[in-house]
Amino acid sequence: MKKVSRIWSLAFLLLALTALLFGCGGGSKGSESTGGGDSSDGDGKKKLVVGTDATYAPMEYMDNNGNIVGIDIDIVEAIAEEAGFDVEFKNIGWEPLFPAVENGEVDFAVSSITITEERQETYDFSEPYYIANQVILVKKGSDIKSFQDLKDKKTSLQINTTGHTMLKEIQGKTSSKIIASETMPLAIEELLNGNAEAAVGDNSTVNEYIKNNPNVEVEIVEDDSAEKEYYGLMVKKGNSEVVNLLNDGIKKIKENGKLKEITGFDVE
Ligand code: ARG
């Protein structure tokens, strides 16, 4: 009898140990986790689901095979490699991206998102990993030379972006001359078809448009009054677990030169 009960307690101990081991391997499932993709796949690494608006070449866009690619994607993959987690990208779109982070549908968002004080009230951000600024796209020969020149001009931009905020400051919140499009390509379309006299967006993407469309009669207006903007990865407020993981990866790719290799410049 004694022997039997010892076997049983040994079996029980083994079972408890296995449970403990597996429990740890799957990544923490505490109440803090957003749940989006907080699971591990075959390699035992934690997998995070990353939301994006893949309409913003060269930062995040769809290639011809339907894959989500771009500079931001490469950066997140490098961060994940250094910090030891796996990623799965989801093309969510710009406006739905914000609630998706809030409700845990995704663990974080990468989308050329500028860290702003206003957004920091609702979301947490990683350390900055990229610098950009707003520029103006106009048809060649336009008399628009600065942001102030946009005061009474029909101007298109992507809705709820920092460019949108800037135009509201210049024209007034309720201006009817602001054309807020769902995506940046659609905002540029408004300029090309004559609905708008200017389009405003991040230099990262507007430069790429010019590069890819040398035959379109448009040019960029740079205005030094445009403030530097810092891109960050956006996380649900209070999810310090993911923020720390991302910052750990960002620190490492800043230190080992990988970030500069991807973007071509240093971010202080
Ligand atoms: N940097 C700007 C902002 O944060 C625009 C970002 C737009 N990104 C995108 N993938 N559509 O408001």
Side-chain angles (χ1 to χ4, degrees):
M1 270 313 261
K2 230 182 169 179
K3 202 171 177 187
V4 174
S5 76
R6 203 181 302 145
I7 287 173
W8 271 114
S9 46
L10 211 85
F12 181 73
L13 200 80
L14 228 101
L15 215 85
L17 258 168
T18 333
L20 207 78
L21 270 171
F22 274 92
C24 291
S28 82
K29 286 262 179 191
S31 55
E32 210 190 53
S33 106
T34 53
D38 194 7
S39 59
S40 94
D41 54 14
D43 60 9
K45 281 189 198 166
K46 187 189 183 78
K47 187 171 87 186
L48 298 183
V49 175
V50 191
T52 191
D53 167 30
T55 63
Y56 220 65
M59 304 308 293
E60 45 267 334
Y61 60 103
M62 306 294 282
D63 71 8
N64 293 335
N65 302 319
N67 299 312
I68 303 172
V69 294
I71 293 174
D72 264 353
I73 308 305
D74 292 346
I75 293 173
V76 167
E77 272 168 357
I79 291 171
E81 196 181 313
E82 291 298 330
F85 62 91
D86 286 331
V87 280
E88 180 195 328
F89 292 96
K90 264 195 189 173
N91 188 12
I92 303 253
W94 178 247
E95 283 202 287
L97 196 52
F98 293 79
V101 170
E102 241 179 309
N103 68 28
E105 188 188 335
V106 298
D107 291 299
F108 69 94
V110 64
S111 222
S112 310
I113 305 171
T114 303
I115 305 169
T116 66
E117 275 177 22
E118 197 190 341
R119 288 177 182 155
Q120 278 172 321
E121 284 171 18
T122 321
Y123 304 93
D124 282 341
F125 282 89
S126 70
E127 290 295 320
Y129 65 86
Y130 197 93
I131 308 180
N133 60 266
Q134 298 303 305
V135 294
I136 309 166
L137 188 68
V138 291
K139 288 206 173 139
K140 277 193 181 148
S142 160
D143 56 359
I144 296 167
K145 300 287 174 236
S146 69
F147 278 100
Q148 277 319 310
D149 289 345
L150 296 178
K151 187 139 188 64
D152 53 1
K153 298 283 195 312
K154 272 192 156 186
T155 306
S156 57
L157 35 80
Q158 187 179 22
I159 192 163
N160 290 343
T161 54
T162 41
H164 194 179
T165 310
M166 198 165 169
L167 254 289
K168 283 187 199 157
E169 277 161 17
I170 296 169
Q171 295 196 354
K173 263 195 181 137
T174 55
S175 168
S176 59
K177 293 193 165 149
I178 298 175
I179 305 172
S181 307
E182 211 46 60
T183 67
M184 194 58 205
L186 287 175
I188 294 178
E189 203 45 50
E190 297 286 357
L191 168 71
L192 302 182
N193 68 24
N195 280 343
E197 280 189 67
V200 167
D202 295 19
N203 57 348
S204 54
T205 196
V206 177
N207 286 334
E208 179 79 0
Y209 176 81
I210 295 267
K211 202 175 99 193
N212 292 340
N213 298 277
N215 299 324
V216 180
E217 295 282 293
V218 288
E219 59 191 3
I220 291 186
V221 176
E222 290 262 10
D223 177 340
D224 292 343
S225 74
E227 278 172 22
K228 271 188 190 171
E229 298 186 18
Y230 295 88
Y231 292 173
L233 304 171
M234 192 171 77
V235 182
K236 184 187 173 122
K237 190 126 203 115
N239 191 349
S240 51
E241 192 191 333
V242 168
V243 172
N244 291 340
L245 203 59
L246 297 176
N247 283 342
D248 173 47
I250 290 176
K251 187 165 178 270
K252 285 178 178 151
I253 63 167
K254 279 182 180 171
E255 276 166 11
N256 69 14
K258 185 84 197 169
L259 181 61
K260 189 173 180 183
E261 201 180 290
I262 298 171
T263 64
F265 56 80
D266 271 321
V267 182
E268 66 267 27

